[in-house]
Amino acid sequence: MRYSIPVFFQPRQQEGEKLAWTVESRQGRLVVKATNTGGRRVRISGMKVTDASGASVMFGNGLNGYVLARSSMEWVAPVAAPKLNSTGSVTITATGDTGPINAKALSTTAR
Protein backbone atom coordinates (compact mmCIF):
# COMPACT_ATOMS: atom_id res chain seq x y z
CA MET A 1 0.00 0.00 0.00
CA ARG A 2 1.24 3.49 -0.84
CA TYR A 3 0.11 6.92 0.42
CA SER A 4 0.67 10.31 -1.09
CA ILE A 5 0.43 13.22 1.34
CA PRO A 6 0.84 16.81 0.11
CA VAL A 7 3.15 19.00 2.19
CA PHE A 8 3.16 22.79 1.76
CA PHE A 9 5.75 25.24 3.08
CA GLN A 10 5.19 28.98 3.23
CA PRO A 11 6.74 32.03 4.88
CA ARG A 12 5.13 33.31 8.10
CA GLN A 13 4.15 36.66 6.55
CA GLN A 14 2.45 35.58 3.34
CA GLU A 15 -0.56 37.23 1.74
CA GLY A 16 -3.69 35.06 1.69
CA GLU A 17 -5.42 33.44 -1.25
CA LYS A 18 -7.39 35.57 -3.74
CA LEU A 19 -9.70 33.46 -5.87
CA ALA A 20 -11.46 34.48 -9.09
CA TRP A 21 -13.91 32.02 -10.65
CA THR A 22 -15.07 31.38 -14.21
CA VAL A 23 -17.62 28.85 -15.43
CA GLU A 24 -18.17 27.82 -19.03
CA SER A 25 -19.85 25.16 -21.10
CA ARG A 26 -17.19 23.44 -23.19
CA GLN A 27 -18.37 20.77 -25.66
CA GLY A 28 -21.55 20.34 -23.63
CA ARG A 29 -19.77 19.90 -20.30
CA LEU A 30 -19.51 22.32 -17.41
CA VAL A 31 -15.96 23.55 -16.69
CA VAL A 32 -15.19 25.48 -13.50
CA LYS A 33 -11.91 27.37 -13.22
CA ALA A 34 -10.43 28.98 -10.11
CA THR A 35 -7.53 31.41 -10.48
CA ASN A 36 -5.56 32.25 -7.35
CA THR A 37 -3.66 35.55 -7.62
CA GLY A 38 -2.75 35.47 -3.93
CA GLY A 39 0.35 34.17 -2.22
CA ARG A 40 -1.13 31.13 -0.44
CA ARG A 41 -2.62 27.91 -1.76
CA VAL A 42 -6.23 27.02 -1.02
CA ARG A 43 -7.78 23.59 -0.56
CA ILE A 44 -11.18 23.15 -2.24
CA SER A 45 -13.70 20.53 -1.12
CA GLY A 46 -17.41 19.88 -1.55
CA MET A 47 -17.69 22.16 -4.60
CA LYS A 48 -21.14 22.77 -6.10
CA VAL A 49 -22.31 25.09 -8.90
CA THR A 50 -25.92 26.32 -8.93
CA ASP A 51 -27.59 28.37 -11.68
CA ALA A 52 -30.36 30.98 -11.27
CA SER A 53 -33.12 28.36 -11.72
CA GLY A 54 -31.77 26.27 -8.83
CA ALA A 55 -30.30 23.47 -10.95
CA SER A 56 -26.94 22.36 -9.57
CA VAL A 57 -23.91 20.22 -10.32
CA MET A 58 -21.98 18.66 -7.44
CA PHE A 59 -18.26 17.98 -7.87
CA GLY A 60 -18.15 15.58 -4.91
CA ASN A 61 -18.40 15.87 -1.13
CA GLY A 62 -14.71 15.36 -0.46
CA LEU A 63 -11.49 16.97 -1.62
CA ASN A 64 -11.69 18.53 -5.09
CA GLY A 65 -8.07 19.67 -5.14
CA TYR A 66 -5.77 22.59 -4.46
CA VAL A 67 -5.37 25.92 -6.22
CA LEU A 68 -1.75 26.85 -5.68
CA ALA A 69 -0.56 30.44 -5.23
CA ARG A 70 -0.45 32.38 -8.51
CA SER A 71 -1.94 29.40 -10.38
CA SER A 72 -5.21 28.10 -11.81
CA MET A 73 -7.11 24.84 -11.53
CA GLU A 74 -9.97 23.50 -13.67
CA TRP A 75 -12.63 20.94 -12.90
CA VAL A 76 -14.79 19.30 -15.58
CA ALA A 77 -18.24 18.02 -14.60
CA PRO A 78 -19.00 14.35 -15.22
CA VAL A 79 -20.71 13.50 -18.52
CA ALA A 80 -23.90 12.51 -16.67
CA ALA A 81 -24.09 15.79 -14.70
CA PRO A 82 -27.27 17.85 -15.04
CA LYS A 83 -27.13 20.67 -17.57
CA LEU A 84 -27.07 24.21 -16.22
CA ASN A 85 -28.12 27.39 -17.98
CA SER A 86 -25.18 28.00 -20.35
CA THR A 87 -25.30 31.77 -19.88
CA GLY A 88 -25.96 33.94 -16.86
CA SER A 89 -24.82 34.09 -13.28
CA VAL A 90 -24.05 30.99 -11.21
CA THR A 91 -23.16 30.50 -7.57
CA ILE A 92 -20.16 28.43 -6.54
CA THR A 93 -20.14 27.00 -3.03
CA ALA A 94 -17.35 24.96 -1.45
CA THR A 95 -15.23 24.72 1.65
CA GLY A 96 -11.74 26.18 1.73
CA ASP A 97 -8.95 26.20 4.32
CA THR A 98 -10.43 29.18 6.12
CA GLY A 99 -14.11 28.24 5.86
CA PRO A 100 -17.01 28.45 3.42
CA ILE A 101 -16.56 29.73 -0.12
CA ASN A 102 -19.54 31.51 -1.68
CA ALA A 103 -18.70 33.07 -5.03
CA LYS A 104 -20.55 34.30 -8.11
CA ALA A 105 -19.36 33.77 -11.66
CA LEU A 106 -20.72 34.48 -15.12
CA SER A 107 -21.42 31.28 -17.03
CA THR A 108 -20.46 31.39 -20.71
CA THR A 109 -20.21 29.02 -23.67
CA ALA A 110 -16.70 28.39 -25.00
CA ARG A 111 -16.09 29.21 -28.64
Side-chain angles (χ1 to χ4, degrees), residues 13-49:
Q13 299 299 322
Q14 188 68 32
E15 65 178 306
E17 71 272 4
K18 294 180 186 170
L19 292 176
W21 297 86
T22 58
V23 177
E24 69 180 23
S25 177
R26 200 183 294 161
Q27 296 177 343
R29 293 177 70 185
L30 183 71
V31 179
V32 178
K33 181 178 181 179
T35 301
N36 183 359
T37 58
R40 184 177 190 278
R41 58 105 179 121
V42 62
R43 179 179 166 258
I44 306 290
S45 61
M47 186 169 58
K48 180 170 86 169
V49 178

Short mmCIF file of all heavy atoms in Angstrom, two decimals, residues 13-49:
data_model
loop_
_atom_site.label_atom_id
_atom_site.label_comp_id
_atom_site.label_asym_id
_atom_site.label_seq_id
_atom_site.Cartn_x
_atom_site.Cartn_y
_atom_site.Cartn_z
N GLN A 13 4.87 35.45 6.99
CA GLN A 13 4.15 36.66 6.55
C GLN A 13 3.83 36.55 5.07
O GLN A 13 4.49 37.14 4.23
CB GLN A 13 5.01 37.91 6.82
CG GLN A 13 5.34 38.12 8.27
CD GLN A 13 4.11 38.32 9.12
OE1 GLN A 13 3.15 38.95 8.71
NE2 GLN A 13 4.12 37.76 10.32
N GLN A 14 2.84 35.78 4.74
CA GLN A 14 2.45 35.58 3.34
C GLN A 14 1.03 36.08 3.14
O GLN A 14 0.17 35.86 3.99
CB GLN A 14 2.52 34.09 2.98
CG GLN A 14 2.31 33.78 1.54
CD GLN A 14 3.45 34.27 0.67
OE1 GLN A 14 4.59 34.31 1.08
NE2 GLN A 14 3.15 34.67 -0.53
N GLU A 15 0.80 36.78 2.03
CA GLU A 15 -0.56 37.23 1.74
C GLU A 15 -1.46 36.02 1.52
O GLU A 15 -1.00 34.96 1.11
CB GLU A 15 -0.58 38.13 0.51
CG GLU A 15 -0.18 37.40 -0.77
CD GLU A 15 -0.25 38.25 -2.02
OE1 GLU A 15 -1.31 38.84 -2.27
OE2 GLU A 15 0.76 38.30 -2.72
N GLY A 16 -2.73 36.16 1.82
CA GLY A 16 -3.69 35.06 1.69
C GLY A 16 -4.06 34.78 0.25
O GLY A 16 -3.57 35.41 -0.68
N GLU A 17 -4.94 33.80 0.09
CA GLU A 17 -5.42 33.44 -1.25
C GLU A 17 -6.39 34.50 -1.76
O GLU A 17 -7.08 35.15 -0.97
CB GLU A 17 -6.08 32.06 -1.25
CG GLU A 17 -7.41 32.01 -0.57
CD GLU A 17 -7.35 31.72 0.92
OE1 GLU A 17 -6.27 31.62 1.50
OE2 GLU A 17 -8.44 31.60 1.50
N LYS A 18 -6.43 34.66 -3.08
CA LYS A 18 -7.39 35.57 -3.74
C LYS A 18 -7.92 34.83 -4.96
O LYS A 18 -7.26 34.74 -5.98
CB LYS A 18 -6.69 36.86 -4.17
CG LYS A 18 -6.22 37.71 -3.02
CD LYS A 18 -5.55 38.96 -3.50
CE LYS A 18 -4.97 39.73 -2.34
NZ LYS A 18 -4.11 40.82 -2.78
N LEU A 19 -9.13 34.28 -4.82
CA LEU A 19 -9.70 33.46 -5.87
C LEU A 19 -10.63 34.25 -6.78
O LEU A 19 -11.43 35.05 -6.31
CB LEU A 19 -10.49 32.29 -5.27
CG LEU A 19 -9.67 31.23 -4.54
CD1 LEU A 19 -10.61 30.21 -3.92
CD2 LEU A 19 -8.69 30.56 -5.47
N ALA A 20 -10.52 33.99 -8.08
CA ALA A 20 -11.46 34.48 -9.09
C ALA A 20 -11.97 33.25 -9.82
O ALA A 20 -11.21 32.34 -10.15
CB ALA A 20 -10.77 35.44 -10.05
N TRP A 21 -13.27 33.21 -10.08
CA TRP A 21 -13.91 32.02 -10.65
C TRP A 21 -14.48 32.31 -12.03
O TRP A 21 -15.02 33.39 -12.27
CB TRP A 21 -15.05 31.56 -9.75
CG TRP A 21 -14.60 31.13 -8.40
CD1 TRP A 21 -14.40 31.94 -7.31
CD2 TRP A 21 -14.30 29.80 -7.98
NE1 TRP A 21 -13.99 31.18 -6.24
CE2 TRP A 21 -13.93 29.87 -6.61
CE3 TRP A 21 -14.31 28.56 -8.60
CZ2 TRP A 21 -13.57 28.75 -5.88
CZ3 TRP A 21 -13.97 27.45 -7.87
CH2 TRP A 21 -13.59 27.53 -6.52
N THR A 22 -14.39 31.33 -12.92
CA THR A 22 -15.07 31.38 -14.21
C THR A 22 -15.75 30.02 -14.43
O THR A 22 -15.27 28.99 -13.96
CB THR A 22 -14.12 31.67 -15.39
OG1 THR A 22 -13.11 30.67 -15.44
CG2 THR A 22 -13.48 33.04 -15.25
N VAL A 23 -16.87 30.06 -15.12
CA VAL A 23 -17.62 28.85 -15.43
C VAL A 23 -18.01 28.92 -16.89
O VAL A 23 -18.50 29.95 -17.36
CB VAL A 23 -18.90 28.74 -14.55
CG1 VAL A 23 -19.71 27.53 -14.93
CG2 VAL A 23 -18.51 28.71 -13.08
N GLU A 24 -17.79 27.83 -17.62
CA GLU A 24 -18.17 27.82 -19.03
C GLU A 24 -18.66 26.44 -19.42
O GLU A 24 -18.36 25.45 -18.77
CB GLU A 24 -17.03 28.27 -19.93
CG GLU A 24 -15.86 27.31 -20.00
CD GLU A 24 -14.74 27.81 -20.92
OE1 GLU A 24 -14.63 29.01 -21.16
OE2 GLU A 24 -13.97 26.97 -21.38
N SER A 25 -19.41 26.42 -20.50
CA SER A 25 -19.85 25.16 -21.10
C SER A 25 -18.90 24.90 -22.26
O SER A 25 -18.80 25.70 -23.18
CB SER A 25 -21.29 25.29 -21.59
OG SER A 25 -21.67 24.09 -22.22
N ARG A 26 -18.18 23.79 -22.17
CA ARG A 26 -17.19 23.44 -23.19
C ARG A 26 -17.57 22.06 -23.75
O ARG A 26 -17.52 21.08 -23.02
CB ARG A 26 -15.80 23.40 -22.55
CG ARG A 26 -14.67 23.51 -23.51
CD ARG A 26 -13.32 23.41 -22.83
NE ARG A 26 -13.04 24.52 -21.94
CZ ARG A 26 -12.11 24.47 -20.97
NH1 ARG A 26 -11.43 23.37 -20.75
NH2 ARG A 26 -11.90 25.53 -20.21
N GLN A 27 -17.95 22.02 -25.00
CA GLN A 27 -18.37 20.77 -25.66
C GLN A 27 -19.47 20.07 -24.86
O GLN A 27 -19.46 18.87 -24.66
CB GLN A 27 -17.18 19.85 -25.88
CG GLN A 27 -16.15 20.43 -26.81
CD GLN A 27 -14.94 19.56 -26.99
OE1 GLN A 27 -14.68 18.64 -26.21
NE2 GLN A 27 -14.17 19.83 -28.03
N GLY A 28 -20.41 20.88 -24.35
CA GLY A 28 -21.55 20.34 -23.63
C GLY A 28 -21.30 19.98 -22.18
O GLY A 28 -22.18 19.47 -21.51
N ARG A 29 -20.09 20.23 -21.69
CA ARG A 29 -19.77 19.90 -20.30
C ARG A 29 -19.39 21.16 -19.52
O ARG A 29 -18.74 22.05 -20.04
CB ARG A 29 -18.63 18.89 -20.25
CG ARG A 29 -19.09 17.55 -20.82
CD ARG A 29 -18.03 16.53 -20.87
NE ARG A 29 -17.64 16.07 -19.54
CZ ARG A 29 -16.64 15.23 -19.35
NH1 ARG A 29 -15.96 14.77 -20.38
NH2 ARG A 29 -16.33 14.84 -18.14
N LEU A 30 -19.80 21.20 -18.28
CA LEU A 30 -19.51 22.32 -17.41
C LEU A 30 -18.06 22.29 -16.96
O LEU A 30 -17.56 21.26 -16.49
CB LEU A 30 -20.43 22.27 -16.18
CG LEU A 30 -20.32 23.41 -15.20
CD1 LEU A 30 -20.91 24.68 -15.82
CD2 LEU A 30 -21.04 23.07 -13.91
N VAL A 31 -17.37 23.43 -17.12
CA VAL A 31 -15.96 23.55 -16.69
C VAL A 31 -15.87 24.72 -15.72
O VAL A 31 -16.27 25.84 -16.03
CB VAL A 31 -15.02 23.79 -17.90
CG1 VAL A 31 -13.59 23.95 -17.43
CG2 VAL A 31 -15.14 22.65 -18.90
N VAL A 32 -15.37 24.45 -14.53
CA VAL A 32 -15.19 25.48 -13.50
C VAL A 32 -13.70 25.72 -13.35
O VAL A 32 -12.92 24.78 -13.25
CB VAL A 32 -15.78 25.01 -12.15
CG1 VAL A 32 -15.55 26.06 -11.07
CG2 VAL A 32 -17.24 24.69 -12.28
N LYS A 33 -13.32 27.01 -13.35
CA LYS A 33 -11.91 27.37 -13.22
C LYS A 33 -11.74 28.35 -12.08
O LYS A 33 -12.47 29.33 -11.98
CB LYS A 33 -11.40 27.99 -14.52
CG LYS A 33 -9.93 28.36 -14.48
CD LYS A 33 -9.48 28.92 -15.82
CE LYS A 33 -8.02 29.28 -15.80
NZ LYS A 33 -7.58 29.79 -17.12
N ALA A 34 -10.78 28.07 -11.20
CA ALA A 34 -10.43 28.98 -10.11
C ALA A 34 -9.02 29.48 -10.36
O ALA A 34 -8.11 28.68 -10.59
CB ALA A 34 -10.51 28.27 -8.77
N THR A 35 -8.84 30.80 -10.32
CA THR A 35 -7.53 31.41 -10.48
C THR A 35 -7.18 32.08 -9.16
O THR A 35 -7.94 32.88 -8.64
CB THR A 35 -7.53 32.44 -11.62
OG1 THR A 35 -7.90 31.76 -12.82
CG2 THR A 35 -6.17 33.07 -11.80
N ASN A 36 -6.02 31.73 -8.62
CA ASN A 36 -5.56 32.25 -7.35
C ASN A 36 -4.42 33.24 -7.59
O ASN A 36 -3.31 32.84 -7.93
CB ASN A 36 -5.08 31.09 -6.46
CG ASN A 36 -4.66 31.54 -5.08
OD1 ASN A 36 -4.69 32.72 -4.75
ND2 ASN A 36 -4.25 30.58 -4.27
N THR A 37 -4.70 34.53 -7.43
CA THR A 37 -3.66 35.55 -7.62
C THR A 37 -2.96 35.89 -6.30
O THR A 37 -2.08 36.74 -6.28
CB THR A 37 -4.26 36.84 -8.22
OG1 THR A 37 -5.29 37.33 -7.35
CG2 THR A 37 -4.83 36.58 -9.61
N GLY A 38 -3.35 35.23 -5.23
CA GLY A 38 -2.75 35.47 -3.93
C GLY A 38 -1.47 34.69 -3.73
O GLY A 38 -0.98 33.99 -4.62
N GLY A 39 -0.93 34.80 -2.52
CA GLY A 39 0.35 34.17 -2.22
C GLY A 39 0.25 32.90 -1.40
O GLY A 39 1.26 32.40 -0.91
N ARG A 40 -0.95 32.35 -1.24
CA ARG A 40 -1.13 31.13 -0.44
C ARG A 40 -2.05 30.18 -1.19
O ARG A 40 -3.03 30.60 -1.79
CB ARG A 40 -1.76 31.52 0.90
CG ARG A 40 -1.92 30.37 1.86
CD ARG A 40 -2.49 30.89 3.19
NE ARG A 40 -2.44 29.88 4.21
CZ ARG A 40 -3.33 28.89 4.35
NH1 ARG A 40 -4.34 28.82 3.51
NH2 ARG A 40 -3.22 28.02 5.29
N ARG A 41 -1.78 28.92 -1.11
CA ARG A 41 -2.62 27.91 -1.76
C ARG A 41 -3.92 27.79 -0.99
O ARG A 41 -4.02 28.14 0.17
CB ARG A 41 -1.91 26.57 -1.84
CG ARG A 41 -1.49 26.02 -0.48
CD ARG A 41 -2.36 24.90 -0.03
NE ARG A 41 -1.88 24.41 1.25
CZ ARG A 41 -2.61 24.39 2.35
NH1 ARG A 41 -3.84 24.82 2.34
NH2 ARG A 41 -2.13 23.93 3.47
N VAL A 42 -4.95 27.26 -1.68
CA VAL A 42 -6.23 27.02 -1.02
C VAL A 42 -6.72 25.62 -1.38
O VAL A 42 -6.59 25.18 -2.52
CB VAL A 42 -7.28 28.10 -1.39
CG1 VAL A 42 -7.57 28.11 -2.86
CG2 VAL A 42 -8.55 27.93 -0.60
N ARG A 43 -7.22 24.93 -0.39
CA ARG A 43 -7.78 23.59 -0.56
C ARG A 43 -9.26 23.74 -0.81
O ARG A 43 -9.96 24.43 -0.08
CB ARG A 43 -7.54 22.80 0.73
CG ARG A 43 -8.07 21.41 0.71
CD ARG A 43 -7.73 20.74 2.06
NE ARG A 43 -8.50 19.54 2.18
CZ ARG A 43 -9.60 19.42 2.91
NH1 ARG A 43 -10.03 20.42 3.63
NH2 ARG A 43 -10.25 18.29 2.93
N ILE A 44 -9.77 23.07 -1.86
CA ILE A 44 -11.18 23.15 -2.24
C ILE A 44 -11.83 21.78 -2.01
O ILE A 44 -11.33 20.77 -2.49
CB ILE A 44 -11.35 23.54 -3.74
CG1 ILE A 44 -10.60 24.82 -4.07
CG2 ILE A 44 -12.82 23.62 -4.11
CD1 ILE A 44 -11.16 26.07 -3.46
N SER A 45 -12.96 21.78 -1.30
CA SER A 45 -13.70 20.53 -1.12
C SER A 45 -15.20 20.80 -1.16
O SER A 45 -15.65 21.92 -0.91
CB SER A 45 -13.32 19.86 0.21
OG SER A 45 -13.62 20.69 1.30
N GLY A 46 -15.95 19.78 -1.52
CA GLY A 46 -17.41 19.88 -1.55
C GLY A 46 -17.94 20.94 -2.50
O GLY A 46 -18.93 21.59 -2.21
N MET A 47 -17.31 21.08 -3.67
CA MET A 47 -17.69 22.16 -4.60
C MET A 47 -19.01 21.84 -5.32
O MET A 47 -19.25 20.72 -5.77
CB MET A 47 -16.59 22.37 -5.64
CG MET A 47 -16.86 23.55 -6.54
SD MET A 47 -15.44 24.01 -7.54
CE MET A 47 -15.11 22.52 -8.43
N LYS A 48 -19.86 22.88 -5.41
CA LYS A 48 -21.14 22.77 -6.10
C LYS A 48 -21.40 24.06 -6.86
O LYS A 48 -21.10 25.15 -6.37
CB LYS A 48 -22.26 22.52 -5.09
CG LYS A 48 -23.64 22.40 -5.70
CD LYS A 48 -24.67 21.92 -4.71
CE LYS A 48 -25.25 23.06 -3.93
NZ LYS A 48 -26.43 22.65 -3.13
N VAL A 49 -21.95 23.93 -8.07
CA VAL A 49 -22.31 25.09 -8.90
C VAL A 49 -23.81 25.07 -9.10
O VAL A 49 -24.38 24.04 -9.47
CB VAL A 49 -21.58 25.04 -10.27
CG1 VAL A 49 -21.99 26.21 -11.13
CG2 VAL A 49 -20.07 25.01 -10.07
#
